[in-house]
Amino acid sequence: IAEFSTLNGRMTLDDAGNVVIAMAAVDTAALVPGSYFYDLKTTHSVAPVLAERLVEGAFNVVDEVTV
């Protein structure tokens, strides 16, 4: 499972308010081909802790795709 957050620096917000997610080539190379699911949640750490799912979906990892 890959985790992206502002705390680990793998997710940022740009000046326009867009969520930018970055995954290094070494991390993508470690993905096993197959179907995966994801969700994007916001978490507020003030009491009570609240988490809200913003988006969810699926994607496929295909072996040896060239760009």
Side-chain angles (χ1 to χ4, degrees), residues 12-32:
T12 59
L13 299 174
D14 68 13
D15 293 337
N18 297 305
V19 175
V20 180
I21 297 174
M23 190 172 196
V26 68
D27 295 325
T28 59
L31 291 174
V32 175

Side-chain angles (χ1 to χ4, degrees), residues 13-63:
L13 299 174
D14 68 13
D15 293 337
N18 297 305
V19 175
V20 180
I21 297 174
M23 190 172 196
V26 68
D27 295 325
T28 59
L31 291 174
V32 175
S35 297
Y36 293 88
F37 299 94
Y38 68 89
D39 63 2
L40 177 62
K41 294 190 279 187
T42 59
T43 304
H44 306 278
S45 59
V46 294
V49 175
L50 301 172
E52 179 182 3
R53 180 175 287 129
L54 302 176
V55 65
E56 62 185 339
F59 65 95
N60 294 313
V61 173
V62 180
D63 195 20

Side-chain angles (χ1 to χ4, degrees), residues 3-13 20-24:
E3 184 173 328
F4 301 89
S5 72
T6 54
L7 295 176
N8 68 17
R10 296 175 79 181
M11 182 175 75
T12 59
L13 299 174
V20 180
I21 297 174
M23 190 172 196

